[in-house]
Amino acid sequence: MILDGKHYAAELKDVLTKQCAALKVAHGRAPSLHVLLIGNNPGSLVYVSMKQKRAFDFGIQSTVHRLDETISREAVLNLINELNNSTEVDGILVQLPLPAHLNANEIIDTISPEKDVDGLTSINLGKLIRGTPSLVSCTPLGCMHILKKWKADISGLNAVIVGRSTLVGKPLSLLLIHADTTVTVCHSKTHNLKEHTMQADILIAACGDPKLIRKEHVKPGACVIDVGMSRLSDGSLSGDVAFDEVVHIADAITPVPFGVGPMTVAYLMSNTIQAMKNTHAQID
Ligand code: NAP
């Protein structure tokens, strides 16, 4: 079974565009997403322009704040506070990585948790630990959506995640715990990676190490989700899983591209719509 993220994202888009249209009728404007793009990181420029285009496709207003590489900490915090206080702004996202003189944790924690569509503020990460409703990081949400397409009930299964980042691995481990799976999180210091991955009914590779996961890492019948996206020297895009080998062993697998990537974008739009609903629930 090829888990077709592009198709699932298109299904989600149908639902979300209707919600956007309904919000526009009810409140006189579409949900709005504001992205801070600081500096000229080539990867960030591509990601931000793609998010802006996709937002338009969903019926979401998006604004990109292009800020100079040398912008001061105070100027960034002032802009975020301005956006926090604006009733015209629903979602705020700071594109990472940031220039070295800026502290990413401080800047992200300045975003109002109700507008934190990347789910990266301390408040939203804390709520995720507790399992109380909040805005959750988009890629983990996309992975959970894909897993539900594989099996409606994953309770009791062994889930192994390779990667422990705050953006992907850690929040995903919490969502999987809340879904009653038994979770192992591996990282670059893990000894005998294969011993862990071979126990996985659900194996999620989110390490940014192209084709690290080979057929000998995968238990027959496992569901394999490949979050990785690395640009190789020949310009091609690679996941963290050797797809051509693993596809013959896994019960289900996501491709790269068109697996997790489209779901991440769809959940960014979903979170922006949720943020607008949250704001209006407070006002109404
Ligand atoms: P990150 O912050 O660099 O974290 C990578 C994690 O993987 C770290 O925990 C690291 O361990 C671990 N790791 C690296 N090499 C490893 C190895 N050989 N064996 C075991 N663990 C290893 O990266 P990220 O932001 O989580 O992103 C991971 C990948 O997903 C990247 O390719 C990124 O481009 C991709 N991504 C894709 C999407 C999407 O929508 N498809 C979204 C976000 C990210 P340590 O903690 O010990 O360093």
Side-chain angles (χ1 to χ4, degrees), residues 47 139 162-165 167-169 186-189 193 206-209 212 227-230 240 260-261 264:
Y47 284 132
T139 303
V162 183
R164 57 174 167 182
S165 70
L167 185 67
V168 184
C186 302
H187 45 77
S188 68
K189 307 290 188 294
L193 180 67
C207 60
D209 191 344
L212 174 74
V227 177
M229 274 200 319
S230 304
D240 292 343
V260 175
T264 296

Side-chain angles (χ1 to χ4, degrees), residues 3 8 142-150 225 254 259 263:
L3 296 162
Y8 308 147
C143 291
M144 294 305 290
H145 187 118
I146 292 173
L147 276 174
K148 277 199 199 116
K149 294 286 184 180
W150 173 60
I225 309 259
T254 60
M263 295 305 294

Side-chain angles (χ1 to χ4, degrees), residues 70-119:
T70 59
I71 190 168
S72 69
R73 159 190 175 272
E74 290 73 19
V76 178
L77 299 185
N78 285 342
L79 173 58
I80 294 176
N81 280 319
E82 223 175 87
L83 299 173
N84 284 341
N85 293 330
S86 168
T87 53
E88 301 292 305
V89 175
D90 301 305
I92 304 171
L93 182 159
V94 176
Q95 185 66 39
L96 301 175
L98 293 177
H101 69 285
L102 297 172
N103 177 331
N105 284 344
E106 180 191 27
I107 286 181
I108 285 166
D109 270 343
T110 306
I111 299 172
S112 159
E114 291 78 24
K115 299 190 178 189
D116 165 32
V117 286
D118 253 348

